[in-house]
Amino acid sequence: MKCIVCKNPTDLKVPRHNAAFCVEHFNEHVLRQVSQVIKKFKMIKKNDRVLLGVSGGKDSMGAWKILTNLGYNVLAVHINNGFGEFSQKSENVVRVFAERNNLPLEVYSFEELAGFSLQRAQKHTRKPICSLCGTLKRYLLNRLAFDLECDVIATGHNLDDECAFLLGNVLHWQMGYLKRQYPILKEEKGLVRKIKPLARLTDYEMSLYVKTFNVDIVENECPYSRGATSHYYKDILNALETQFPGSKSFFYFGFLKRLKPFLFADKEEEKGEDLRYCSECGYKTLREDKCFVCALKEKIYTETRTGDSSGM
Amino acid sequence: MKCIVCKNPTDLKVPRHNAAFCVEHFNEHVLRQVSQVIKKFKMIKKNDRVLLGVSGGKDSMGAWKILTNLGYNVLAVHINNGFGEFSQKSENVVRVFAERNNLPLEVYSFEELAGFSLQRAQKHTRKPICSLCGTLKRYLLNRLAFDLECDVIATGHNLDDECAFLLGNVLHWQMGYLKRQYPILKEEKGLVRKIKPLARLTDYEMSLYVKTFNVDIVENECPYSRGATSHYYKDILNALETQFPGSKSFFYFGFLKRLKPFLFADKEEEKGEDLRYCSECGYKTLREDKCFVCALKEKIYTETRTGDSSGM
């Protein structure tokens, strides 16, 4: 195979683009995909301080390197979930990368930040732990963004993640999630802007990227993600992509272009949603009084006061 | 296993409803599903004459028996596609059923009705033959409904067909098709009402129905349907249904309930669409001048006049 740019021999192929790249031009390809998506969706303004959530996995570690190389002012934040050896390894990977590359990093323990452990929180909700972890970390990162004076929160969600989420939302017609699914969620009262700069890169491209540039990552999946429905949807979408190349990209970006305009049509409901904020912390919520996190915290504290602390 | 109604032993199980039925109560179950969907979507009015398109397959043959048993005034119409032995067998199955049950039936040849064969039409369009056949037969059945003085056209599309069509429309965000996908399309200028009374029954239930009541059907699939994308989507949906029972029903009826209201929001575009009719035959069309069928006919006739009849 030859690099489609410089014609030098290479073994880095990207079937989705029907292309192969040498190391230099693969790097260029990846940076271009990210830089174009940032520009198209007006994700980052000049002088913005970007809080990047880094887990230690291929996507966020890759995003860290990419955004830094693109010259953005990135502050990486790692939240240790307290999942034993897996979390310890993850924290280590993140710390070593920051040190070696002399990059700013803040590390927190989930339990110290939230006031309770993820395992304990799970006993008080029917949400699967993956989804619970996502909700709680989004909440904590938003609070940290204010404390650390950041203008925008970036996460490592890639095209495969967005497609799997979209497929699940479509199969269950989760209209609330469909309305909010977008590569950028603009800032509003109490909420920092949220962006997904890897929206045009796949799992495969990100794996290839971190491997090619020797970025250390935690190879194993989070032990709590086993059997997650998103894996099942990813399998369906990967099979579809093999059968009909370009399917994933069309599914996600077609959704943004073609369906999205219809979902913004009912302004009334949107307006109603905008008006509700948590009475405790001010976070935007669809609930009547307290947001999901404050309500959860209250349940956990009530349990502690009544003496049942078996969940700790 | 026992029938959930009368507790008599049976081997007719319907996993989607987590139920088993004896022959009598399975019949009742099927009639109830159809009768409820007809009522919910106001498909058939009292004294309506129903034109039912019958291919000879399990769905339309089952629908013939079901609608007749429910007491509707059904005129079955079979269009012989001219696909050699397969089409001959299909016509035969349909004729024998009508004769044995003393039911009204009209049989036509596709070529005589359209003025050209399906094979010939295919050379003038990029549509896959399955989709071309569907489009042309919808057109011909609509014309026949006027000629035969019928008020409504019923087809044998079942829940699996609708789900596969929906999945394809969603993966490609075919907004035009999504707007029109519904168990009933109301009558309007030049168009007879169209209904899908099997929308709540699956492939599996229809197979079980014709087997249980010894309805003769053409067992083989149409030779031109091999490799059709809809089969691929059905496989995905069947796997999904096995993993998460109820998925198909939720996907289709959730779409009708939750997404549909958004799609009707842009009245302007709908209005624009309503105004266009074919200059030749008056059929509703999204095209500028002639509808797809009249434009196709013109192409074929031009070819015949210029002497190139190799496509016959």
Side-chain angles (χ1 to χ4, degrees):
Chain A
M1 274 185 310
K2 288 177 179 176
C3 169
I4 59 156
V5 184
C6 66
K7 313 295 175 204
N8 284 330
T10 181
D11 56 359
L12 299 180
K13 63 174 175 179
V14 183
R16 195 167 78 83
H17 292 276
N18 195 23
F21 297 101
C22 67
V23 171
E24 183 193 335
H25 292 119
F26 178 62
N27 186 42
E28 254 183 25
H29 158 76
V30 169
L31 294 192
R32 192 171 51 241
Q33 295 297 319
V34 175
S35 140
Q36 280 176 352
V37 97
I38 289 176
K39 201 173 154 193
K40 181 172 169 57
F41 294 99
K42 299 190 177 71
M43 288 181 169
I44 309 177
K45 289 177 210 149
K46 214 183 153 188
N47 300 327
D48 267 354
R49 208 163 121 91
V50 181
L51 185 159
L52 173 68
V54 290
S55 66
K58 70 183 191 316
D59 298 306
S60 55
M61 295 304 283
W64 199 356
K65 189 173 169 81
I66 295 166
L67 292 176
T68 303
N69 284 351
L70 285 172
Y72 291 108
N73 180 5
V74 176
L75 170 63
V77 168
H78 176 75
I79 301 178
N80 185 314
N81 283 349
F83 292 166
E85 197 191 346
F86 175 78
S87 292
Q88 216 34 64
K89 269 191 190 168
S90 305
E91 184 179 323
N92 202 39
V93 156
V94 169
R95 283 195 187 277
V96 169
F97 186 82
E99 211 160 287
R100 273 197 199 144
N101 297 279
N102 198 23
L103 295 172
L105 167 72
E106 298 282 342
V107 175
Y108 301 89
S109 128
F110 178 92
E111 195 168 349
E112 280 174 26
L113 216 52
F116 51 82
S117 72
L118 263 164
Q119 292 91 331
R120 186 155 185 191
Q122 228 231 318
K123 307 206 166 187
H124 293 271
T125 158
R126 279 200 226 152
K127 278 199 187 208
I129 194 155
C130 270
S131 141
L132 178 65
C133 175
T135 303
L136 293 172
K137 281 179 137 178
R138 245 190 324 276
Y139 179 88
L140 295 174
L141 285 180
N142 187 64
R143 214 175 67 193
L144 283 173
F146 281 105
D147 295 348
L148 300 166
E149 294 177 338
C150 291
D151 307 281
V152 50
I153 297 170
T155 52
H157 296 95
N158 65 30
L159 181 60
D160 290 65
D161 298 322
E162 291 305 296
C163 279
F165 189 54
L166 178 58
L167 184 59
N169 288 341
V170 155
L171 289 172
H172 300 95
W173 297 108
Q174 298 273 20
M175 300 313 296
Y177 290 150
L178 283 172
K179 280 189 208 172
R180 277 182 286 274
Q181 188 171 6
Y182 210 65
I184 174 169
L185 289 173
K186 290 195 179 145
E187 53 269 61
E188 49 183 304
K189 189 186 148 193
L191 292 177
V192 169
R193 190 185 334 141
K194 285 192 195 70
I195 61 169
K196 296 174 179 174
L198 304 188
R200 274 170 68 165
L201 292 163
T202 57
D203 272 339
Y204 170 79
E205 281 160 291
M206 289 311 295
S207 297
L208 201 58
Y209 182 78
V210 294
K211 208 171 136 193
T212 307
F213 297 102
N214 301 311
V215 180
D216 274 341
I217 59 161
V218 196
E219 290 284 354
N220 303 341
E221 295 254 359
C222 172
Y224 287 97
S225 81
R226 268 175 223 135
T229 319
S230 60
H231 293 189
Y232 184 79
Y233 296 145
K234 277 194 176 184
D235 289 346
I236 291 179
L237 290 158
N238 283 330
L240 201 69
E241 180 75 26
T242 309
Q243 188 91 351
F244 310 105
S247 291
K248 286 184 208 170
S249 177
F250 197 89
F251 181 46
Y252 182 59
F253 290 100
F255 160 71
L256 297 184
K257 193 174 165 186
R258 297 187 181 180
L259 185 68
K260 271 284 175 179
F262 288 95
L263 302 186
F264 293 132
D266 73 336
K267 295 287 177 207
E268 278 316 302
E269 198 188 321
E270 280 293 315
K271 222 163 129 193
E273 276 180 29
D274 281 347
L275 290 174
R276 266 180 271 163
Y277 291 93
C278 174
S279 63
E280 189 79 17
C281 71
Y283 197 69
K284 197 179 166 186
T285 180
L286 288 169
R287 293 162 162 253
E288 287 300 322
D289 177 25
K290 288 182 185 170
C291 73
F292 171 75
V293 183
C294 288
L296 183 65
K297 213 182 268 182
E298 194 175 59
K299 271 195 208 167
I300 294 172
Y301 288 170
T302 309
E303 176 202 72
T304 310
R305 276 200 304 274
T306 57
D308 171 16
S309 64
S310 56
M312 274 307 268
Chain B
M1 277 187 309
K2 288 177 179 175
C3 170
I4 60 157
V5 185
C6 66
K7 313 295 175 202
N8 284 329
T10 180
D11 55 359
L12 299 180
K13 64 174 173 177
V14 183
R16 196 167 78 83
H17 292 276
N18 194 23
F21 297 100
C22 68
V23 172
E24 184 193 336
H25 291 119
F26 178 62
N27 186 42
E28 253 183 26
H29 157 77
V30 169
L31 295 192
R32 192 171 51 242
Q33 295 297 319
V34 175
S35 138
Q36 280 176 352
V37 97
I38 289 175
K39 201 173 155 195
K40 181 172 169 57
F41 295 98
K42 300 188 176 72
M43 289 180 170
I44 308 177
K45 288 176 211 151
K46 213 183 154 189
N47 301 326
D48 268 354
R49 207 163 122 88
V50 181
L51 185 160
L52 174 69
V54 290
S55 67
K58 69 182 193 317
D59 298 306
S60 55
M61 295 304 283
W64 200 356
K65 189 172 170 82
I66 295 165
L67 292 176
T68 303
N69 284 352
L70 285 172
Y72 291 109
N73 180 6
V74 176
L75 170 63
V77 168
H78 176 74
I79 301 178
N80 184 314
N81 283 348
F83 292 166
E85 197 190 345
F86 175 78
S87 292
Q88 217 32 66
K89 269 191 189 168
S90 305
E91 184 178 324
N92 201 39
V93 156
V94 169
R95 282 195 187 278
V96 169
F97 186 82
E99 211 160 287
R100 274 198 199 144
N101 297 280
N102 198 25
L103 296 172
L105 166 72
E106 297 282 341
V107 175
Y108 299 89
S109 128
F110 178 92
E111 196 169 348
E112 279 174 28
L113 216 51
F116 51 82
S117 70
L118 263 165
Q119 292 90 331
R120 185 153 186 193
Q122 228 231 318
K123 308 205 168 190
H124 292 271
T125 158
R126 279 199 226 151
K127 280 199 185 208
I129 194 155
C130 271
S131 142
L132 178 66
C133 175
T135 304
L136 293 173
K137 280 178 138 177
R138 244 191 324 277
Y139 179 88
L140 296 173
L141 285 179
N142 187 64
R143 215 176 66 193
L144 284 173
F146 281 105
D147 295 348
L148 300 166
E149 294 178 338
C150 291
D151 306 281
V152 50
I153 298 170
T155 52
H157 296 94
N158 65 31
L159 181 59
D160 290 64
D161 298 323
E162 291 305 296
C163 279
F165 190 53
L166 179 57
L167 184 58
N169 288 340
V170 155
L171 289 172
H172 299 97
W173 297 108
Q174 298 273 20
M175 300 313 296
Y177 291 150
L178 284 171
K179 280 189 207 172
R180 278 181 287 273
Q181 188 170 6
Y182 209 67
I184 174 168
L185 289 174
K186 289 195 180 144
E187 54 270 61
E188 49 183 304
K189 188 185 149 195
L191 292 177
V192 169
R193 191 184 335 139
K194 286 192 195 67
I195 61 168
K196 296 173 180 176
L198 304 188
R200 274 171 68 166
L201 292 163
T202 56
D203 273 338
Y204 169 80
E205 280 160 291
M206 288 311 296
S207 297
L208 201 58
Y209 182 78
V210 294
K211 208 171 137 192
T212 306
F213 296 102
N214 301 311
V215 180
D216 274 341
I217 59 161
V218 196
E219 289 284 354
N220 303 341
E221 295 254 357
C222 171
Y224 286 97
S225 81
R226 268 174 222 136
T229 319
S230 61
H231 293 188
Y232 184 78
Y233 296 144
K234 279 194 174 182
D235 289 346
I236 291 178
L237 290 157
N238 283 330
L240 201 69
E241 181 75 26
T242 309
Q243 187 91 352
F244 311 104
S247 291
K248 287 185 209 169
S249 177
F250 196 88
F251 181 46
Y252 182 60
F253 290 101
F255 160 72
L256 298 184
K257 193 174 165 187
R258 297 188 181 180
L259 185 67
K260 271 284 175 180
F262 288 95
L263 301 187
F264 293 132
D266 73 336
K267 294 287 176 208
E268 277 316 302
E269 198 190 319
E270 280 292 315
K271 221 164 129 191
E273 276 179 29
D274 280 347
L275 291 174
R276 265 179 272 163
Y277 291 93
C278 174
S279 62
E280 189 79 17
C281 71
Y283 198 69
K284 196 179 166 188
T285 179
L286 289 169
R287 293 162 162 253
E288 286 300 323
D289 177 26
K290 288 182 184 170
C291 73
F292 171 75
V293 183
C294 287
L296 182 65
K297 212 182 266 182
E298 194 175 59
K299 271 195 209 168
I300 294 173
Y301 288 170
T302 309
E303 176 201 72
T304 311
R305 276 201 302 275
T306 58
D308 170 17
S309 63
S310 55
M312 275 307 267

